[in-house]
């Protein structure tokens, strides 16, 4: 088992406007999430969120602490959200076993000392996408299946953004400290997500795009509404959105993405919306 760890610093919007394409990708794109029997972790100093992926193949994989946390175990002062985008698998938390199917989620409490990931079938591995945030108290470790999610239908075919949003780890489903996670699936023929777009300076956000055909791509928009930039992304890649940045994308086909947030409040609708005609 291997842990690959990378640390990113927060950035100022006044600096961001001078970044070229390579610098944008270096600062905000998380290109490699799923490697066999490896824990891939990226620590961003934007709200101290850790984004990562675990794909057990030949053996189970344990989530170990990293030196940057200065903790005896990974979740000593953190909470953890997990969404499985691969085949069904198992997450074992301090001896309790949770069967996690495709597109199902697990919230793991602060103070959990052992988190172990396994695939049911190594030829069809699970892909556990994870987000972790600092936590001030413990809430129960809880599995959230698709049937437990709060489901909202959004958009329309006429505006190319007909989509189904599933709120998985949010206050209306279970208690967390600050972590929120969910999944949005675009209908065939739709390609825009989160439009009209928005910012929310109270929360940062991370998007992870998947179910995107290998020959297709997503153009992710970011930055202050009057200084937008783009990052071209491929299947199973994530992008960090600072608190001052909008976050929206358009694909060359339909796709699914996981959104995850951390910050000041749990109000999903707390958004400063920006109309398309206002964007520059």
């Amino acid at each position: 088992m291997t842990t690959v760890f990378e640390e990113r610093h927060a950035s100022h919007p006044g600096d961001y406007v001078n970044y070229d394409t390579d610098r944008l990708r270096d600062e905000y794109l998380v290109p490699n999430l799923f490697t066999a029997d490896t824990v891939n972790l990226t620590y961003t100093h934007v709200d101290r969120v850790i984004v990562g992926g675990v794909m057990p193949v030949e053996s189970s994989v344990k989530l170990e602490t990293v030196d940057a946390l200065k903790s005896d175990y990974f979740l000593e002062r953190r909470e953890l959200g997990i969404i499985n985008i691969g085949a069904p698998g198992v997450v074992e938390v301090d001896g309790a076993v949770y069967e996690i199917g495709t597109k199902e989620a697990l919230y793991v409490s602060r103070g959990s000392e052992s988190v172990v990931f396994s695939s049911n079938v190594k030829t069809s591995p699970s892909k556990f996408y994870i987000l972790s945030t600092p936590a001030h108290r413990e809430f129960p470790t809880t599995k959230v299946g698709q049937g437990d999610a709060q489901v909202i239908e959004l958009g329309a075919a006429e505006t190319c953004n007909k989509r189904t949003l599933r709120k998985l780890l949010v206050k209306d489903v279970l208690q967390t400290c600050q972590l929120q996670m969910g999944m949005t699936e675009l209908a065939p023929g739709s390609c825009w997500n989160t439009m009209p777009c928005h910012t929310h300076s109270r929360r940062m956000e991370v998007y992870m795009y998947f179910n995107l055909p290998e020959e297709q791509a997503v153009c992710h928009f970011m930055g202050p509404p009057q200084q937008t930039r783009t990052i071209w992304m491929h299947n199973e890649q994530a992008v960090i959105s600072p608190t001052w940045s909008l976050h929206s994308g358009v694909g060359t086909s339909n796709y699914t993405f996981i959104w995850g947030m951390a910050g000041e409040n749990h109000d999903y609708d707390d958004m400063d919306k920006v109309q398309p005609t206002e964007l520059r």
Side-chain angles (χ1 to χ4, degrees):
M1 190 206 87
T2 304
T3 297
V4 176
F5 178 80
E6 182 182 354
E7 189 170 1
R8 307 274 183 93
H9 292 282
S11 53
H12 191 281
D15 298 327
Y16 139 93
V17 296
N18 298 309
Y19 294 171
D20 63 12
T21 298
D22 290 339
R23 182 70 185 277
L24 282 173
R25 296 174 70 86
D26 288 344
E27 295 289 341
Y28 306 114
L29 181 66
V30 182
N32 301 309
L33 287 168
F34 300 107
T35 309
D37 303 318
T38 300
V39 179
N40 288 301
L41 300 174
T42 298
Y43 181 116
T44 170
H45 285 273
V46 182
D47 284 312
R48 298 190 179 274
V49 167
I50 295 177
V51 54
V54 184
M55 186 174 70
V57 178
E58 296 296 334
S59 61
S60 298
V61 177
K62 185 175 182 180
L63 182 62
E64 301 281 7
T65 192
V66 291
D67 184 65
L69 300 183
K70 302 300 182 185
S71 61
D72 291 334
Y73 51 95
F74 191 90
L75 295 180
E76 184 176 357
R77 297 182 296 273
R78 289 182 158 267
E79 59 187 351
L80 177 69
I82 302 166
I83 298 179
N84 180 16
I85 69 165
V90 171
V91 181
E92 184 176 332
V93 181
D94 288 345
V97 175
Y98 299 89
E99 298 279 349
I100 308 298
T102 305
K103 296 182 179 178
E104 292 188 330
L106 182 69
Y107 172 79
V108 184
S109 173
R110 186 187 83 160
S112 301
E113 296 189 25
S114 175
V115 181
V116 181
F117 301 88
S118 303
S119 298
N120 290 346
V121 181
K122 71 176 184 178
T123 55
S124 183
S126 306
K127 294 181 178 180
F128 297 103
Y129 175 67
I130 63 176
L131 284 181
S132 176
T133 63
H136 62 278
R137 60 163 292 183
E138 292 82 21
F139 289 112
T141 295
T142 305
K143 175 184 171 179
V144 179
Q146 289 198 55
D148 303 313
Q150 186 180 65
V151 181
I152 302 174
E153 300 295 335
L154 295 170
E158 292 77 9
T159 48
C160 303
N161 65 351
K162 183 175 174 59
R163 59 201 191 274
T164 301
L165 184 149
R166 290 180 172 84
K167 298 181 183 180
L168 294 163
L169 306 183
V170 299
K171 68 175 184 178
D172 294 328
V173 176
L174 80 172
Q175 290 182 298
T176 70
C177 291
Q178 62 169 316
L179 180 66
Q180 299 181 74
M181 293 180 74
M183 182 187 312
T184 301
E185 186 169 1
L186 276 73
S190 287
C191 53
W192 278 101
N193 66 65
T194 321
M195 186 59 67
C197 59
H198 60 269
T199 61
H200 34 63
S201 61
R202 282 71 60 193
R203 298 194 301 268
M204 67 85 70
E205 192 156 0
V206 180
Y207 275 13
M208 194 279 285
Y209 293 97
F210 70 107
N211 282 357
L212 179 69
E214 291 299 327
E215 67 276 13
Q216 305 298 329
V218 169
C219 185
H220 182 84
F221 290 77
M222 65 168 297
Q226 305 304 312
Q227 287 284 350
T228 59
R229 303 287 189 274
T230 59
I231 297 177
W232 281 97
M233 298 178 60
H234 300 286
N235 191 45
E236 297 178 358
Q237 293 184 335
V239 61
I240 298 163
S241 180
T243 56
W244 43 262
S245 177
L246 58 83
H247 32 282
S248 184
V250 60
T252 56
S253 74
N254 62 310
Y255 51 89
T256 305
F257 71 100
I258 292 172
W259 42 267
M261 295 181 280
E264 292 289 348
N265 63 46
H266 285 172
D267 181 4
Y268 177 85
D269 293 320
D270 175 17
M271 303 174 187
D272 300 321
K273 294 184 179 180
V274 183
Q275 297 302 317
T277 54
E278 300 177 88
L279 297 171
R280 299 289 185 271

